[in-house]
Amino acid sequence: MAADFTTSNPNPLLLLCLYAVYICISTSISLSALVVDAQKTLGLVSEHKSTSSQLKDSLVYLWPLPTEYTFGNGTLSVDPDLSLAVGGNGGNSAIVRDAFDRYRAIIFKQSSSKLRKRMMNSHISKVRVIVHSDIEELQLGTDESYSLIVAKSDDRSIIAEATIEANSVFGALRGLETFSQLCTYDYETKSIQIYNAPWYIRDRPRFAFRGLLLDTSRHYYPVDVIKQIIESMSYAKLNVLHWHIIDEESFPLEIPTYPKLWKGAYSKWERYTIEDADEIVNFAKRRGINVMAEVDVPGHAESWGAGYPDLWPSASCREPLDVAKNFTFDLISGILTDMRKIFPFELFHLGGDEVHTDCWTSTPHVQQWLRDHNMTAKDAYQYFVLRAQQLAISKNWTPVNWEETFNAFPTKLNPQTVVHNWLGGGVCPKAVGQGFRCIFSNQGFWYLDHLDVQWDGVYNADPLEGITDASEQQLVLGGEVCMWGEMADPSVVQQTIWPRAAAAAERLWSKKEAISTRNINITALPRLQYFRCLLTRRGYSVGILETVIFPVRGAFLATCPQENNLNAKSS
Amino acid sequence: MYNCISPGNVNNFVFFPSPSLSLSHTHVVIVIAINLHYPIGHCFCSSCVQEVKTITSLQISEFKLCDGEAGVSYGHQVLYMSKDFGLRTEGSKYPDASGILKDGFSRLLYVIQAPHVADGTISHFQQSLVLQGIHVLISSPNEKLEYGIDESYKLSIASSGAPVYAHLEAQTVYGALHGLQTFSQLCHFNFTTRVIEVRQAPWEISDQPRFPYRGLLIDTSRHYQPLPVIKKVVDSMAYAKLNVLHWHIVDSQSFPLEIPSYPKLWNGAYSISERYTMADAAEVVSYAQRQGINVLAEIDVPGHALSWGPGYPTLWPSKDCQQPLDVSNEFTFQVIDGILSDFSKVFKFKFVHLGGDEVNTSCWETTPHVRNWLQKHSMNASEAYAYFVLRAQKIALSHGYEIVNWEETFNNFGNKLSRKTVVHNWLGSGVVERVVAAGLRCIVSNQDKWYLDHLDTTWPDFYSNEPLANITNPKQQELVLGGEVCMWGEHIDGSDIEQTIWPRAAAAAERLWTPYEKLAKDPKQVTGRLARFRCLLNQRGVAAAPLALPGRGAPLEPGSCYMQ
């Protein structure tokens, strides 16, 4: 039980509060009964009880953990003909309807379609979704809060309903995800059940930016694979796909203004048209996920030169992009103009990391240009980044840059800049100390290509580490786990992302106090294992969770969930 | 950069598995194509069949494939797929009452359209070059997926017409489904026009499988595989024209399936949620059957059945000695009878697999009541093993099944086995010859070549494994039903099953499908095509692993899918 109503919500629901108080009182009386029931929820009935299993039994198997929740000890069955009822100005949205259809398929996918109707239990035949606003623009900070009530309509009724209320359609999507996680297939009755009803949940994210980076330059990911990843992100309530589209290895995206750029693709078949990119953005939006595009300049851009060799300082020294040519900036401007048409998210990532300026200082014409402009190579790096920032700002974008730009010339960066941490700890505190906004991706914890980082390392990292001032905390937008693609391709990307990205997702969504206390091997690990199996049931490849020995995406003989082995139970 | 990539540049001749006969353009036979690092095959014209050319141009698309009399150049005729690309069935004798063909067509559209947004304008192409749809003619109204059913098809695509349709003829709907798979591999997205194209028309493809049994084993006892994962495996099998899902349901570790006659059996599941209801099993069977794939269910008795005991402990010789199943207890055979009776309602395939491998009889010899029983029946342990297997066989026969047993049964008492037995090879080579010489049928799965859990076995090993090796007598050859690759589950689960199966299973799939004469003598010759098929699987959302590494390795460095 973690009922907590001390925090304020901009739109308090009187009914919810009244019910919640009632439930709080009634459930605290019957806590021991509740624990037993919580076990039943997940088939965790266990013969032997230690302190830790007691704790485990009272866990709420929702991932990420909602902000506020209470539950009871009833059981409701879900009608196989579950239908949608809508209300509010935004209820009629196609986004809501499509999402409901998706989640209905997920809820009833766990087993075959031939579900029996059960009339003995109170049952839920309707999900009511009330959305107050009909604005469907998805941006940084879009209201994702929602409340979810799953309860009988009154004590004597056998009719029950699930009600989701949200300010925006995107909040409603989060509510539907939570609802789907409450639904469990019961093998005895062959029906979908919701245990521990009634449920009263009020939820909203801790951070506005909860990202996953995908790198389509080192390996190409087919559109279908990207969509699968986006879909799985929505299960963990992540909300930004940071699309590291281009790097030195390949340039897979079409840029209509400079059509030779995608000559830098690995092959004819490993390319994205602008329409493909648009499709990905729309697919993501319908799941409440923003796409933050990146062009990483000037250091990670060798592949641009396959189409336009002038962008290289010389044919033999190809990186960074030639700072001495106006054509370089014309081209960046063209890319940004084309991208602006399909990437509506207000943040745009300009990279700026790992810039080795040797090519500039060793190529005669660039050398000459540096002399003419009285610049050192380091000055030129700053000049390049700031000029690219101006281009992005002129197209109504807020620039995001990797932390090296901040580390090298913090006072020169545009004050709108969002600093993207990666090298190590302590950077976000410095950045927000100077009034910049920051995204946390400390590579020691949140780089998914670091296979030696275990789930608990991911889980324990906190974007607000070292930041105590409340107004400075506000400047931390959130964080992002990074799936760099050097050694990941479509055959292994999913199990390298999951389950560790889910650990970060809870860190970014749930209240710190609710998930940082006590031993996470007891409070979080069983729940994460359950979420891992939920992903598997939904058809995803999810790596193994193991705290000590095994590499993250290794495999060994193991049962899927942390559920009780029936062998033990029956003997 | 892509100009210098070779394998993918071999445009259309990249079917996997390779069809029996493909003709592109009248009088011109193009068996298969080309490439640089990995010559894929040969090219020859009707007038120059003996002349085998190896093409070494970087720009295959500009290269004249064959300079025969016809003077046909490669890439001459391109058809453009209509936005309303449709299915026609006039004249077909198959009514498609249950929508098998219709669903197959929907899947076809999905896999063709998933890779890119094809929103190019069709209207400015010549109407006579717009492919309006596919016309499917099926001769048999029957949709029962019998073992050995006719899976052949003929696919022809004219180079123009008014309007132009692809024509697909097949005896059965399942042959037609294979034809649709082949058609899907002919479709290419054009990045310039944003239209899906079929190149090198006209096409004439005549195709049929070499072996009637082309299997893949999955093991849901060592790790539970959720229904969506199994369905995804089935989808991917269909892409490679495999046709038997051997479902090794139960083993020592867990008993995940509901058995209504003995409802406590699935107490042996790993957990409450890691179970299949009978309705789930029926769903798997029906899902697979609708893609032309039979499900071969297995219970592996008596040696791999420890998990039966949590529900019914008397099946164990004793609490401390739990395997093999108690041969002395009549109840053991009642349970087997109950299971097979329940099976027969759901698993409609002609065969059931009864296992019979790795039987260590020491529990029988050390447990007093079993030892007494052996003495009473004057049997030694190995005779009891034969007794058990043969009795289980009789039960299966009584439920209308023919039987598959692992090879140990044949190795130990081959002459006693029912003549309806199919011997399933796994230990190694040499067995198949002995089995067919004894007049029994055989399935090839020698572990050194076709066990997918052996991560050190590479795809060329899979490709080169010839089921008919050393069998020259045509009558004996007929007794080899085919082969099966085995995805044992000790070290795989839902997180890595796909990349452990693919691409290696595809190499075996070609061995089992394509006529012997058309198979590459050196597997290196298929590298380009197989790499391409692997990338196609990726495009369709299947996590097929890079070819360059053994087993299911993750890529070691950045690079193109086609080069890894």
Side-chain angles (χ1 to χ4, degrees):
Chain A
M1 290 291 292
D4 176 356
F5 294 97
T6 53
T7 42
S8 67
N9 185 297
N11 182 22
L13 298 164
L14 184 59
L15 183 69
L16 175 68
C17 288
L18 286 172
Y19 264 112
V21 168
Y22 163 74
I23 292 302
C24 265
I25 294 162
S26 62
T27 51
S28 58
I29 294 165
S30 57
L31 186 64
S32 58
L34 217 159
V35 166
V36 173
D37 219 66
Q39 298 167 351
K40 283 190 201 145
T41 306
L42 301 145
L44 289 173
V45 179
S46 140
E47 299 288 289
H48 44 86
K49 279 216 175 63
S50 60
T51 318
S52 72
S53 81
Q54 287 277 9
L55 265 172
K56 200 172 88 188
D57 291 340
S58 63
L59 293 179
V60 166
Y61 286 75
L62 294 171
W63 195 277
L65 195 69
T67 315
E68 305 162 22
Y69 53 87
T70 66
F71 50 84
N73 56 9
T75 298
L76 301 171
S77 64
V78 181
D79 193 325
D81 300 321
L82 188 70
S83 67
L84 172 70
V86 295
N89 292 334
N92 261 324
S93 163
I95 293 180
V96 171
R97 269 200 313 279
D98 289 356
F100 175 78
D101 290 344
R102 276 200 312 278
Y103 280 107
R104 188 169 53 186
I106 285 169
I107 291 166
F108 296 103
K109 167 186 213 177
Q110 297 177 11
S111 201
S112 58
S113 48
K114 293 154 197 147
L115 288 166
R116 291 180 199 162
K117 253 192 178 179
R118 276 192 94 221
M119 302 307 288
M120 293 92 83
N121 274 341
S122 304
H123 67 277
I124 296 174
S125 57
K126 225 174 242 165
V127 176
R128 185 174 300 281
V129 177
I130 299 157
V131 180
H132 294 302
S133 164
D134 61 357
I135 295 168
E136 292 187 356
E137 200 196 347
L138 180 64
Q139 276 301 352
L140 183 67
T142 289
D143 189 332
E144 295 174 274
S145 69
Y146 67 92
S147 67
L148 168 63
I149 303 177
V150 184
K152 289 200 277 184
S153 39
D154 67 64
D155 267 354
R156 272 165 300 174
S157 173
I158 63 152
I159 306 297
E161 214 172 70
T163 305
I164 293 166
E165 189 169 349
N167 288 326
S168 78
V169 291
F170 305 106
L173 298 186
R174 306 294 173 240
L176 281 167
E177 173 58 41
T178 303
F179 176 73
S180 76
Q181 293 190 18
L182 286 176
C183 295
T184 311
Y185 180 71
D186 176 51
Y187 282 80
E188 307 310 319
T189 59
K190 306 194 175 176
S191 62
I192 302 293
Q193 307 277 11
I194 294 180
Y195 299 103
N196 296 337
W199 281 91
Y200 299 91
I201 295 172
R202 215 162 57 172
D203 200 9
R204 65 177 181 284
R206 180 176 170 214
F207 290 104
F209 187 108
R210 304 181 306 281
L212 167 71
L213 177 146
L214 191 67
D215 168 6
T216 57
S217 176
R218 274 60 178 258
H219 281 95
Y220 177 82
Y221 295 94
V223 173
D224 214 39
V225 174
I226 297 178
K227 286 180 174 175
Q228 283 182 19
I229 291 167
I230 291 169
E231 177 77 24
S232 62
M233 287 171 70
S234 71
Y235 302 157
K237 298 190 171 77
L238 292 173
N239 72 347
V240 180
L241 176 71
H242 174 179
W243 188 1
H244 186 84
I245 308 174
I246 306 151
D247 208 294
E248 56 198 38
E249 285 83 358
S250 80
F251 197 119
L253 181 66
E254 173 186 32
I255 301 295
T257 309
Y258 290 94
K260 285 194 235 160
L261 277 172
W262 67 352
K263 288 207 163 172
Y266 275 136
S267 72
K268 267 160 86 169
W269 299 276
E270 288 165 299
R271 293 188 290 174
Y272 308 103
T273 65
I274 273 287
E275 293 80 15
D276 291 340
D278 195 40
E279 166 92 5
I280 286 166
V281 170
N282 283 320
F283 184 91
K285 185 190 170 183
R286 299 180 85 80
R287 284 150 186 81
I289 293 169
N290 276 299
V291 179
M292 175 170 74
E294 175 175 359
V295 288
D296 192 348
V297 293
H300 284 263
E302 192 194 310
S303 65
W304 301 28
Y308 299 95
D310 269 1
L311 294 169
W312 293 327
S314 75
S316 52
C317 212
R318 301 177 164 185
E319 217 171 48
L321 293 169
D322 190 343
V323 64
K325 291 201 188 82
N326 270 327
F327 178 61
T328 304
F329 297 96
D330 291 347
L331 198 130
I332 292 173
S333 176
I335 292 175
L336 296 188
T337 303
D338 285 352
M339 286 192 172
R340 198 57 178 121
K341 292 172 193 153
I342 51 166
F343 294 107
F345 191 40
E346 68 185 81
L347 300 183
F348 187 87
H349 207 302
L350 287 170
D353 57 317
E354 299 183 312
V355 179
H356 305 290
T357 51
D358 297 356
C359 274
W360 289 348
T361 47
S362 66
T363 307
H365 81 269
V366 187
Q367 218 170 35
Q368 184 60 45
W369 182 91
L370 290 174
R371 273 198 299 272
D372 292 348
H373 291 77
N374 202 16
M375 280 189 205
T376 63
K378 205 185 152 199
D379 296 336
Y381 165 43
Q382 173 188 322
Y383 162 81
F384 197 115
V385 168
L386 297 181
R387 196 165 161 188
Q389 285 202 331
Q390 280 312 315
L391 288 171
I393 289 164
S394 75
K395 298 183 201 312
N396 199 23
W397 254 321
T398 301
V400 183
N401 272 109
W402 292 108
E403 67 167 77
E404 285 97 323
T405 58
F406 171 78
N407 301 340
F409 41 90
T411 55
K412 301 285 173 19
L413 282 176
N414 186 291
Q416 286 189 47
T417 307
V418 177
V419 177
H420 195 164
N421 151 252
W422 73 279
L423 283 165
V427 178
C428 276
K430 277 190 230 136
V432 299
Q434 299 198 35
F436 289 105
R437 289 176 295 173
C438 192
I439 296 167
F440 175 87
S441 288
N442 185 341
Q443 63 174 342
F445 307 109
W446 282 11
Y447 265 29
L448 295 167
D449 53 319
H450 291 205
L451 297 183
D452 54 337
V453 179
Q454 303 291 345
W455 81 273
D456 50 341
V458 177
Y459 192 78
N460 285 327
D462 196 286
L464 296 187
E465 185 72 48
I467 303 169
T468 46
D469 179 279
S471 61
E472 288 184 2
Q473 288 185 344
Q474 295 281 330
L475 293 173
V476 178
L477 300 181
E480 174 182 301
V481 283
C482 300
M483 183 62 269
W484 292 107
E486 283 89 343
M487 303 210 281
D489 71 359
S491 72
V492 292
V493 69
Q494 284 183 357
Q495 65 267 41
T496 317
I497 293 173
W498 307 110
R500 291 178 304 161
E506 176 152 293
R507 177 61 50 193
L508 289 164
W509 178 278
S510 305
K511 281 193 309 182
K512 191 181 179 194
E513 316 80 72
I515 60 167
S516 301
T517 50
R518 298 191 292 196
N519 180 353
I520 60 166
N521 282 318
I522 297 164
T523 57
L525 183 57
R527 294 173 43 249
L528 182 55
Q529 274 163 327
Y530 190 76
F531 183 73
R532 172 193 180 248
C533 290
L534 178 135
L535 287 172
T536 314
R537 279 202 302 275
R538 293 180 182 186
Y540 281 85
S541 305
V542 192
I544 300 282
L545 266 168
E546 182 61 28
T547 41
V548 203
I549 310 159
F550 291 94
V552 172
R553 61 184 174 207
F556 62 105
L557 184 69
T559 165
C560 184
Q562 180 68 1
E563 292 186 37
N564 202 36
N565 189 323
L566 287 183
N567 287 334
K569 182 190 157 199
S570 54
S571 55
Chain B
M1 279 179 169
Y2 54 79
N3 289 340
C4 54
I5 305 283
S6 56
N9 265 350
V10 181
N11 276 336
N12 276 336
F13 306 100
V14 287
F15 302 109
F16 216 100
S18 190
S20 311
L21 178 65
S22 62
L23 294 121
S24 172
H25 215 286
T26 334
H27 308 309
V28 179
V29 182
I30 297 162
V31 169
I32 226 142
I34 324 84
N35 109 22
L36 295 185
H37 306 316
Y38 322 101
I40 295 177
H42 321 292
C43 136
F44 49 91
C45 309
S46 55
S47 58
C48 55
V49 172
Q50 70 287 11
E51 185 191 353
V52 175
K53 290 185 181 177
T54 304
I55 295 177
T56 53
S57 163
L58 280 166
Q59 290 289 356
I60 302 297
S61 56
E62 291 168 20
F63 199 88
K64 295 213 170 193
L65 196 58
C66 290
D67 278 317
E69 303 154 315
V72 183
S73 49
Y74 184 96
H76 183 58
Q77 272 142 319
V78 178
L79 299 175
Y80 310 96
M81 187 174 276
S82 162
K83 294 266 190 297
D84 310 311
F85 186 82
L87 172 68
R88 281 177 57 185
T89 55
E90 299 95 69
S92 179
K93 300 214 171 61
Y94 173 67
D96 201 23
S98 49
I100 292 177
L101 180 63
K102 204 166 118 267
D103 284 1
F105 181 74
S106 306
R107 287 193 302 273
L108 168 77
L109 287 184
Y110 178 77
V111 298
I112 293 173
Q113 291 166 354
H116 297 284
V117 178
D119 64 347
T121 323
I122 296 284
S123 53
H124 60 251
F125 294 112
Q126 250 185 63
Q127 272 306 296
S128 63
L129 296 178
V130 175
L131 197 54
Q132 300 292 346
I134 187 160
H135 188 176
V136 182
L137 279 173
I138 297 169
S139 337
S140 165
N142 192 350
E143 64 181 32
K144 193 151 190 289
L145 183 60
E146 304 272 14
Y147 168 76
I149 194 175
D150 189 321
E151 294 177 273
S152 70
Y153 67 92
K154 283 197 177 113
L155 175 64
S156 51
I157 308 169
S159 55
S160 68
V164 52
Y165 273 81
H167 284 270
L168 177 60
E169 286 177 42
Q171 283 297 310
T172 67
V173 64
Y174 302 106
L177 293 181
H178 290 315
L180 293 180
Q181 292 294 351
T182 299
F183 181 80
S184 78
Q185 295 190 23
L186 275 176
C187 298
H188 303 269
F189 176 73
N190 182 316
F191 280 84
T192 309
T193 59
R194 317 297 153 112
V195 162
I196 294 164
E197 299 175 347
V198 171
R199 298 173 198 151
Q200 278 100 15
W203 279 98
E204 290 286 346
I205 295 169
S206 178
D207 201 9
Q208 63 185 39
R210 181 176 171 214
F211 291 103
Y213 185 107
R214 305 180 304 282
L216 167 71
L217 176 147
I218 60 165
D219 167 5
T220 57
S221 176
R222 274 61 178 258
H223 281 93
Y224 179 82
Q225 300 290 354
L227 229 50
V229 174
I230 296 178
K231 287 180 175 177
K232 245 184 121 187
V233 169
V234 168
D235 289 341
S236 58
M237 285 173 72
Y239 300 150
K241 300 191 173 78
L242 292 174
N243 72 347
V244 179
L245 176 70
H246 175 179
W247 189 0
H248 186 83
I249 309 174
V250 186
D251 207 294
S252 307
Q253 285 80 1
S254 79
F255 197 119
L257 181 65
E258 171 185 35
I259 301 296
S261 302
Y262 290 92
K264 284 194 234 160
L265 278 171
W266 68 351
N267 284 6
Y270 275 134
S271 71
I272 285 177
S273 66
E274 288 169 297
R275 294 187 290 174
Y276 308 103
T277 64
M278 260 300 172
D280 293 342
E283 172 90 1
V284 169
V285 169
S286 138
Y287 188 87
Q289 182 251 322
R290 295 175 69 83
Q291 305 212 44
I293 294 169
N294 270 303
V295 176
L296 172 70
E298 175 176 357
I299 48 165
D300 194 347
V301 294
H304 284 263
L306 187 145
S307 67
W308 301 29
Y312 299 96
T314 58
L315 293 170
W316 291 327
S318 75
K319 282 232 161 182
D320 341 296
C321 215
Q322 304 179 325
Q323 207 161 249
L325 292 170
D326 189 345
V327 64
S328 71
N329 188 347
E330 275 304 298
F331 180 63
T332 303
F333 297 98
Q334 285 167 24
V335 171
I336 291 173
D337 186 57
I339 291 174
L340 292 178
S341 166
D342 287 352
F343 269 21
S344 66
K345 291 166 196 145
V346 167
F347 297 108
K348 300 292 188 187
F349 193 34
K350 173 178 180 175
F351 300 102
V352 73
H353 205 303
L354 291 176
D357 58 317
E358 298 184 312
V359 179
N360 176 346
T361 51
S362 52
C363 271
W364 288 349
E365 288 160 319
T366 58
T367 308
H369 81 269
V370 186
R371 203 171 48 212
N372 289 342
W373 182 90
L374 288 175
Q375 272 157 8
K376 192 175 145 203
H377 292 78
S378 13
M379 278 189 210
N380 61 30
S382 78
E383 285 162 344
Y385 167 39
Y387 161 82
F388 196 114
V389 168
L390 298 177
R391 197 163 163 193
Q393 286 204 333
K394 286 210 183 70
I395 296 171
L397 288 165
S398 78
H399 290 290
Y401 281 121
E402 296 186 24
I403 311 118
V404 186
N405 269 114
W406 293 109
E407 68 168 76
E408 287 96 322
T409 58
F410 173 81
N411 300 343
N412 284 291
F413 44 91
N415 55 350
K416 299 213 179 93
L417 288 173
S418 157
R419 300 306 291 167
K420 288 194 170 171
T421 306
V422 177
V423 178
H424 196 164
N425 151 252
W426 74 278
L427 283 165
S429 50
V431 182
V432 183
E433 295 102 288
R434 288 198 296 277
V435 170
V436 296
L440 292 176
R441 292 168 298 176
C442 193
I443 296 166
V444 178
S445 289
N446 47 322
Q447 61 175 344
D448 53 326
K449 295 291 169 62
W450 277 5
Y451 265 28
L452 292 160
D453 54 318
H454 291 203
L455 296 183
D456 53 343
T457 308
T458 61
W459 73 262
D461 298 331
F462 276 78
Y463 191 88
S464 332
N465 194 37
E466 171 50 42
L468 298 187
N470 304 325
I471 301 171
T472 46
N473 178 326
K475 286 232 165 75
Q476 292 186 1
Q477 289 185 341
E478 297 244 313
L479 293 172
V480 179
L481 306 185
E484 176 181 301
V485 287
C486 300
M487 184 64 275
W488 292 107
E490 283 91 340
H491 301 283
I492 62 115
D493 66 6
S495 72
D496 49 13
I497 186 169
E498 286 181 358
Q499 62 269 45
T500 319
I501 294 174
W502 308 107
R504 293 179 301 159
E510 176 149 303
R511 173 66 51 179
L512 290 165
W513 178 276
T514 304
Y516 183 75
E517 330 66 88
K518 299 251 164 64
L519 288 164
K521 299 298 166 268
D522 178 355
K524 283 201 174 62
Q525 294 177 322
V526 304
T527 308
R529 262 186 327 115
L530 184 58
R532 178 103 194 222
F533 184 71
R534 180 240 162 180
C535 298
L536 184 81
L537 287 173
N538 283 177
Q539 248 177 38
R540 296 177 180 184
V542 179
L547 267 66
L549 297 155
R552 57 179 174 220
L556 300 174
E557 56 183 23
S560 165
C561 177
Y562 298 92
M563 299 302 283
Q564 295 185 324

